[in-house]
Amino acid sequence: MPMNKISKIGILTGGGDCPGLNAVIRTVVRCGIHQYGWEAVGFKDGYRGLVLNDYLPLDFDSVAGLLDKGGTILGTSNRDNPFAFPVATPEGEELRDMSAQVHANLQEDGIDALVIIGGDGTMTAAELFSQQGIPVIGVPKTIDNDLIGTDYTFGFQTAVETATEAIDKIHSTAESHHRLMVVEVMGRYAGWIALHAGMSSGADIILIPELAYDLDAIAATIRRRAAAGKHFSIIVVSEGIRHPQGHLVSQRTVKNSPDPIRLGGIGPVIAAELETRSGIEARSVVLGHLQRGGSPNPFDRILATRFGAAAVEALAAGQKGQMVALQGTHIDTIPLSMVASKQKLVPADHELLRIGREMGICFGS
Ligand code: F6P
């Protein structure tokens, strides 16, 4: 395979943050410098920094002490699309394709390749830059675990751990007060966090966007538990399940975001419905951004480190337009075109759904 002639790389983090971003940045910078003698810079606040040519130099010192730090030292944004970038005009604001500006910036800065760390929106733009000839390697991140082609994204396991700990705590108060406790978790349109956190915390009912639910059937499950002496139930719901009337519940829309809908608020709706139908008092908790924060757990630190090293190796080997991906126990690369604008949902035959059903856990019907 031909080698890319690289002397300087740019790194950016796009989309919602998650634990492990700094661990990737650290590995890419260290491997790039130590193994290949590259220079590195980090663009600030995702694609915004790339468009505005706003960056900071990165070296061994600037990435020291980063492994355990949540968030991203580069900043991020989940609203700036470089192909439809908000530009102020005398009339207000218009969206412009700023990709030519990005090419000019990279040329001016002497940057030969980009490592772009992000979720599906970020990878979609990365794929477009790749089509325009910029050597790009993508690194998949998101607490939602909804990127296609990789078994896991980093950030997911830490979010599941955070949600599990929270649900564990909710368990005891639910039991003491003989209540229903509805815990709403993130995940957008995919139920990965709800499924994993629900199963690992022993939830009684788990609702995910991929499966339709029936409130009367759930209430019957709750009453059966009560009849068997369990006067409390833990219900984990994904933010992406539909309202009983069929619509998604959103808190707000975010202008210029690749996906402008910000979900949230279905938990209290489900709690109220189940209280009425079961006759058992209910409370709800929305875990929200808590799931995105904090230090990455060891699994995510290692995955982020492996992804970062694989991104550098891929660039050095002449690959471009690829995303590093975990497939089984191996790190591989897959074309960005396979990832862009797609979502990995929980399949109906997922092992955890089967095991959960065999254990009597209710998934909504
Ligand atoms: O994609 C990660 C995520 O945390 C989703 O789970 C959630 O729906 C969304 O981002 C929240 O976005 P924001 O930080 O813009 O509120």
Side-chain angles (χ1 to χ4, degrees):
M1 203 178 288
M3 305 289 277
N4 281 330
K5 283 206 181 60
I6 293 175
S7 55
K8 190 172 180 182
I9 58 168
I11 306 168
L12 68 84
T13 51
D17 69 344
C18 75
L21 288 165
N22 284 325
V24 180
I25 296 167
R26 168 182 180 264
T27 308
V28 170
V29 170
R30 288 183 59 148
C31 289
I33 294 173
H34 187 252
Q35 195 69 12
Y36 298 104
W38 298 343
E39 278 181 72
V41 303
F43 288 99
K44 295 184 194 167
D45 300 331
Y47 285 120
R48 168 164 288 270
L50 195 59
V51 169
L52 303 180
N53 210 16
D54 187 9
Y55 63 83
L56 50 104
L58 294 172
D59 57 17
F60 259 68
D61 283 344
S62 44
V63 299
L66 279 192
L67 188 57
D68 61 341
K69 301 275 180 302
T72 161
I73 57 161
L74 299 178
T76 187
S77 162
N78 54 8
R79 66 173 73 190
D80 293 317
N81 176 354
F83 295 90
F85 192 80
V87 176
T89 64
E91 291 75 39
E93 187 182 91
E94 71 178 35
L95 298 179
R96 287 196 196 145
D97 178 355
M98 299 299 280
S99 55
Q101 181 64 52
V102 167
H103 284 261
N105 293 345
L106 294 179
Q107 190 155 15
E108 185 190 320
D109 303 339
I111 291 172
D112 310 300
L114 292 174
V115 174
I116 296 183
I117 310 165
D120 59 347
T122 308
M123 290 307 148
T124 303
E127 157 65 1
L128 292 176
F129 281 126
S130 169
Q131 283 174 17
Q132 294 181 345
I134 298 174
V136 174
I137 294 292
V139 178
K141 69 88 222 183
T142 166
I143 63 163
D144 304 332
N145 197 38
D146 60 351
L147 249 81
I148 218 141
T150 185
D151 291 348
Y152 291 112
T153 49
F154 68 88
F156 169 68
Q157 299 286 356
T158 306
V160 167
E161 193 171 300
T162 300
T164 301
E165 282 169 9
I167 301 164
D168 284 349
K169 292 197 164 100
I170 280 162
H171 227 109
S172 57
T173 176
E175 203 164 351
S176 310
H177 285 268
H178 317 295
R179 281 177 176 158
L180 309 181
M181 292 298 295
V182 176
V183 185
E184 178 185 315
V185 297
M186 281 185 164
R188 290 205 304 170
Y189 311 105
W192 296 107
I193 298 178
L195 179 61
H196 281 75
M199 287 297 284
S200 67
S201 61
D204 308 298
I205 294 145
I206 303 170
L207 305 182
I208 63 173
E210 293 86 346
L211 298 177
Y213 66 89
D214 173 352
L215 287 167
D216 289 325
I218 300 169
T221 302
I222 291 166
R223 281 195 301 270
R224 264 198 309 277
R225 280 177 52 78
K230 306 268 189 193
H231 296 283
F232 72 98
S233 289
I234 304 291
I235 301 122
V236 175
V237 306
S238 173
E239 63 178 0
I241 66 164
R242 289 185 177 268
H243 189 277
Q245 284 164 8
H247 56 273
L248 290 169
V249 179
S250 68
Q251 304 175 41
R252 61 169 72 198
T253 52
V254 178
K255 228 171 110 191
N256 303 331
S257 175
D259 177 6
I261 298 171
R262 291 295 176 274
L263 297 166
I266 185 65
V269 175
I270 297 293
E273 291 283 343
L274 291 178
E275 179 172 294
T276 308
R277 286 164 207 252
S278 69
I280 299 177
E281 194 179 3
R283 294 284 190 276
S284 65
V285 181
V286 179
L287 294 186
H289 290 81
L290 195 70
Q291 297 157 97
R292 289 235 301 260
S295 180
N297 70 10
F299 181 94
D300 281 334
R301 293 183 199 190
I302 297 294
L303 184 59
T305 301
R306 293 176 75 195
F307 277 164
V312 169
E313 279 159 25
L315 277 180
Q319 290 194 47
K320 42 184 96 158
Q322 303 284 311
M323 184 185 83
V324 296
L326 179 69
Q327 296 184 341
T329 56
H330 300 287
I331 307 285
D332 218 327
T333 54
I334 58 169
L336 278 169
S337 56
M338 272 178 59
V339 180
S341 308
K342 298 193 184 82
Q343 278 173 348
K344 181 183 70 181
L345 301 179
V346 176
D349 62 351
H350 192 274
E351 182 195 26
L352 274 184
L353 291 174
R354 178 181 56 75
I355 295 172
R357 287 194 181 102
E358 286 169 7
M359 294 169 69
I361 293 163
C362 170
F363 290 100
S365 55

